[in-house]
Amino acid sequence: MAETLIIADLHLARPGGRILALLDAFLERAANADAVYILGDLFDYWIGDDQPLDPAIAERLERFSTLGVPVRFLPGNRDFLVGSELLDRVGAKAIAEQTAIEHGGHRLLLLHGDELCIDDAAYQAMRAQLRDPRFIRDFLGRSLEERIAIAEDLRQKSRTESSNKADDIMDVNAAAVLEMLERTQTDCLIHGHTHRPGIHRLADGRCRVVTGDWGEAGWLVSLDDDGLRLERFTPDEREIVDRLEWSGVAAGGAA
């Protein structure tokens, strides 16, 4: 049975740990998929398409273009500056930051997920500043070395600030989830960003699915005709962490 694969939060920087083996395992599986969606934070940071890529990582990413299946990229908070040059290299097409797709008779909304973390006011203020067109113009006009230094500084500040915040502040806001479902007329949200993989079954029959971040293992969401699965995988094995049949998802928010 053909499947659609969804991943997020690979945070590629340099080929440490198991990342190359995980990418190899994913690419082998993706060759038989209907489509692949990347929901942001493919990179630990991206400061413009002139950013150098480690050759081993570049070789794996360029293999996406040889899969023979559609590859779609949705930006995250770390890599919203990914441009057409990089996407062409990977063989991917950009999609909107909130993109609805149809599957199993349901409308599913794909997003990175950070826009749902509205309880973290400091983060949302920084997000708005970084995405301001004037900031982006100024940033991209700087030298590669300057941009890398700024990105490294922001990454370190983010780590420090996150370690001092309560966990619930950095998670999605329940009211924001419901508002998003209502505004987009969708039955299920699928996102990354929080690094808290799980399938959340909402009281009204709709759902929220969170992909996991890659480290010692990779994470993916698989969609097929029967439903969706949240999977954790290594180069040697696959584990279905949770599954949800389409028959168990309410359409249009009706319980």
Side-chain angles (χ1 to χ4, degrees), residues 113-125 161-174 176 193-194 196:
D114 58 327
E115 62 266 62
L116 299 172
C117 301
I118 61 174
D119 294 325
D120 191 344
Y123 171 80
Q124 293 298 330
E161 291 173 0
S162 294
S163 67
N164 295 321
K165 292 177 181 177
D167 285 347
D168 58 340
I169 288 179
M170 294 185 290
D171 204 354
V172 303
N173 175 280
H193 181 67
T194 64
R196 302 179 184 193

Side-chain angles (χ1 to χ4, degrees), residues 1-249:
M1 182 182 296
E3 60 183 354
T4 293
L5 300 177
I6 300 172
I7 57 175
D9 299 301
L10 280 66
H11 291 276
L12 298 176
R14 48 191 63 87
R18 294 158 65 91
I19 192 64
L20 298 181
L22 291 172
L23 278 168
D24 288 339
F26 179 78
L27 286 162
E28 182 178 353
R29 180 167 176 182
N32 298 311
D34 281 336
V36 172
Y37 289 89
I38 304 169
L39 304 188
D41 285 8
L42 176 61
F43 301 100
D44 205 28
Y45 61 75
W46 193 255
I47 47 83
D49 282 3
D50 57 343
Q51 176 174 319
L53 271 175
D54 180 275
I57 289 177
E59 189 273 330
R60 267 84 177 172
L61 292 179
E62 287 163 3
R63 267 196 247 160
F64 276 89
S65 66
T66 69
L67 291 177
V69 303
V71 178
R72 302 291 182 257
F73 175 80
L74 182 155
N77 58 299
R78 301 293 189 101
D79 53 12
F80 61 90
L81 291 179
V82 162
S84 59
E85 183 178 334
L86 186 278
L87 292 176
D88 288 346
R89 189 173 175 183
V90 178
K93 291 186 178 180
I95 57 175
E97 292 186 7
Q98 297 168 11
T99 292
I101 63 173
E102 301 279 344
H103 219 289
H106 293 275
R107 273 175 55 83
L108 316 175
L109 188 71
L110 309 181
L111 62 164
H112 181 61
D114 58 327
E115 62 266 62
L116 299 172
C117 301
I118 61 174
D119 294 325
D120 191 344
Y123 171 80
Q124 293 298 330
M126 182 182 70
R127 184 182 191 274
Q129 177 186 354
L130 293 178
R131 296 193 182 218
D132 185 297
R134 292 169 296 181
F135 175 88
I136 292 174
R137 283 195 301 271
D138 175 74
F139 181 76
L140 292 178
R142 296 173 180 264
S143 70
L144 179 63
E145 292 74 19
E146 284 181 291
R147 282 178 278 143
I148 289 175
I150 292 169
E152 291 283 1
D153 182 59
L154 287 172
R155 182 172 64 169
Q156 184 56 49
K157 286 180 179 177
S158 175
R159 287 174 176 169
T160 301
E161 291 173 0
S162 294
S163 67
N164 295 321
K165 292 177 181 177
D167 285 347
D168 58 340
I169 288 179
M170 294 185 290
D171 204 354
V172 303
N173 175 280
V177 168
L178 294 177
E179 189 278 333
M180 181 75 74
L181 286 165
E182 290 297 332
R183 179 166 54 82
T184 59
Q185 289 297 289
T186 49
D187 309 321
C188 189
L189 304 183
I190 302 178
H191 68 84
H193 181 67
T194 64
H195 302 181
R196 302 179 184 193
I199 297 177
H200 302 269
R201 296 156 175 85
L202 306 183
D204 64 0
R206 291 179 289 183
C207 63
R208 179 172 68 90
V209 181
V210 189
T211 64
D213 60 312
W214 289 29
E216 285 303 303
W219 289 86
L220 62 84
V221 174
S222 170
L223 312 176
D224 61 27
D225 292 340
D226 296 326
L228 61 83
R229 297 181 304 277
L230 175 65
E231 299 185 26
R232 182 181 186 273
F233 69 92
T234 68
D236 305 311
E237 60 184 6
R238 291 159 50 182
E239 174 192 3
I240 298 177
V241 176
D242 200 356
R243 69 172 73 227
L244 183 63
E245 305 301 317
W246 295 126
S247 59
V249 179

